[in-house]
Amino acid sequence: MDSKFWDAYVNYYTITIDCLLIIGIYFFLKLPKEKKANSTYWLPLLIIGFSVFYEAFGAYANYNFEFKKAVNAFLGNTENPKYNIWIYNITNKQISTLLNLLLIKKLIEPTKKIYLRWMIIFFIMVAIILQLTGVEPLYLNQPIIAVMAASMILIGSGLYFIGLISNEQYLNSKPIHLISFWLMTFLLFTYSLTYINSVARIYIYEINPQIALSLAHIDRILGIFLRLTLLLIIISPMLPKVFNKEPSFEFKSSKKPGKASDLSSQI
């Protein structure tokens, strides 16, 4: 195994998320059949698995320079063939944002879901237009799309917390024992810091690339904690003493508001 391969594929971040995926698959397979079919549980596993995929793809692009050069040339980037940012523009900034928005949509109260639906449609349309018109080429930094992605995650998290303090069923629950509370908290914290960090890195990279690469470790560490939270969603049914069941927003009029049910009743 040459040093180039080792540098591309073997580091604390890729090893950690690979392990999280393996653990996630193991516990997902132990879930009851009805929970496996529930997107509240398979979406977190999909997000972790997708992150493993695009990090491995990015590592391959760094390992195989000719492949990276050919793709950049196809996209119209002949000046900087060493860039592989197009991978992360597609996967991290765009597809991962959509997956996270879908997960948020599953966990917020029904009256707020319509906002998430329109946000997803708006994000897809604007991202496509910005790239097709050349305003933000795929092979360069995409600050507008990045700002839009982070803003929508923050708005989605904010809608959750609005429901948390205004909905009677949430008021009757204990937020710190809800896995959805911790997910939204980490999404809010992660996207707030990574947005500021990513914007700063664009300018710092032009002055000192080494410092910019060091700042990338902040995103990686936050990403690990976020994926740990996603893993806890999968494991949460097996930890009834740690996590309470999520409030159910679908109940018959004869039932008393505030009665909890499993996450699967929300889907």
Side-chain angles (χ1 to χ4, degrees):
M1 184 183 297
D2 57 46
S3 60
K4 186 178 178 182
F5 181 92
W6 184 272
D7 292 339
Y9 284 96
V10 182
N11 57 72
Y12 74 92
Y13 178 67
T14 55
I15 292 174
T16 302
I17 62 174
D18 288 349
C19 291
L20 291 177
L21 177 60
I22 294 171
I23 296 170
I25 292 173
Y26 172 77
F27 282 104
F28 181 79
L29 293 175
K30 292 176 69 69
L31 290 174
K33 185 176 180 180
E34 64 274 10
K35 286 186 171 61
K36 291 178 184 176
N38 188 335
S39 58
T40 306
Y41 297 102
W42 61 254
L43 253 178
L45 183 64
L46 176 62
I47 295 172
I48 298 173
F50 184 66
S51 67
V52 169
F53 162 74
Y54 70 70
E55 291 294 346
F57 189 29
Y60 174 76
N62 285 332
Y63 176 72
N64 189 340
F65 177 75
E66 292 303 319
F67 167 76
K68 183 167 55 175
K69 181 180 178 181
V71 175
N72 274 298
F74 175 78
L75 295 174
N77 177 25
T78 55
E79 296 182 3
N80 298 289
K82 65 179 180 178
Y83 287 179
N84 69 347
I85 194 171
W86 47 272
I87 296 174
Y88 297 94
N89 284 338
I90 296 172
T91 58
N92 195 343
K93 289 182 182 176
Q94 298 178 40
I95 298 178
S96 289
T97 297
L98 292 173
L99 291 175
N100 282 318
L101 287 173
L102 287 172
L103 184 57
I104 293 173
K105 182 174 177 288
K106 291 294 181 182
L107 296 175
I108 63 175
E109 60 175 334
T111 58
K112 305 291 190 302
K113 292 182 186 293
I114 184 64
Y115 301 114
L116 268 296
R117 186 178 301 119
W118 283 109
M119 284 165 57
I120 291 170
I121 294 172
F122 179 79
F123 179 78
I124 294 173
M125 292 178 60
V126 174
I128 291 174
I129 292 172
L130 288 174
Q131 291 170 113
L132 290 180
T133 57
V135 175
E136 291 203 334
L138 190 60
Y139 55 83
L140 294 177
N141 281 308
Q142 297 182 322
I144 298 175
I145 293 176
V147 169
M148 185 170 58
S151 299
M152 289 191 172
I153 295 293
L154 297 179
I155 291 171
S157 301
L159 290 173
Y160 170 84
F161 286 108
I162 290 173
L164 189 70
I165 62 177
S166 62
N167 188 281
E168 184 178 354
Q169 295 197 61
Y170 275 130
L171 293 174
N172 291 333
S173 65
K174 295 181 179 179
I176 62 172
H177 291 293
L178 296 176
I179 188 60
S180 61
F181 170 82
W182 292 107
L183 173 65
M184 298 302 172
T185 299
F186 275 106
L187 280 172
L188 192 66
F189 186 69
T190 299
Y191 274 83
S192 297
L193 288 185
T194 54
Y195 162 67
I196 297 172
N197 187 26
S198 62
V199 172
R201 281 209 317 273
I202 294 174
Y203 301 100
I204 294 174
Y205 190 84
E206 301 296 328
I207 302 171
N208 192 323
Q210 195 59 43
I211 294 178
L213 291 174
S214 297
L215 288 174
H217 289 294
I218 297 175
D219 290 356
R220 288 184 167 190
I221 293 171
L222 290 172
I224 288 172
F225 280 108
L226 181 57
R227 286 162 182 79
L228 275 171
T229 310
L230 292 170
L231 178 62
L232 283 176
I233 293 179
I234 301 170
I235 301 176
S236 60
M238 305 171 195
L239 301 172
K241 294 183 179 180
V242 179
F243 298 110
N244 292 340
K245 293 178 181 179
E246 296 288 321
S248 171
F249 297 107
E250 298 178 4
F251 51 85
K252 297 178 181 180
S253 58
S254 59
K255 293 183 179 180
K256 295 181 180 180
K259 186 176 181 180
S261 71
D262 191 76
L263 278 169
S264 60
S265 65
Q266 300 180 43
I267 307 305

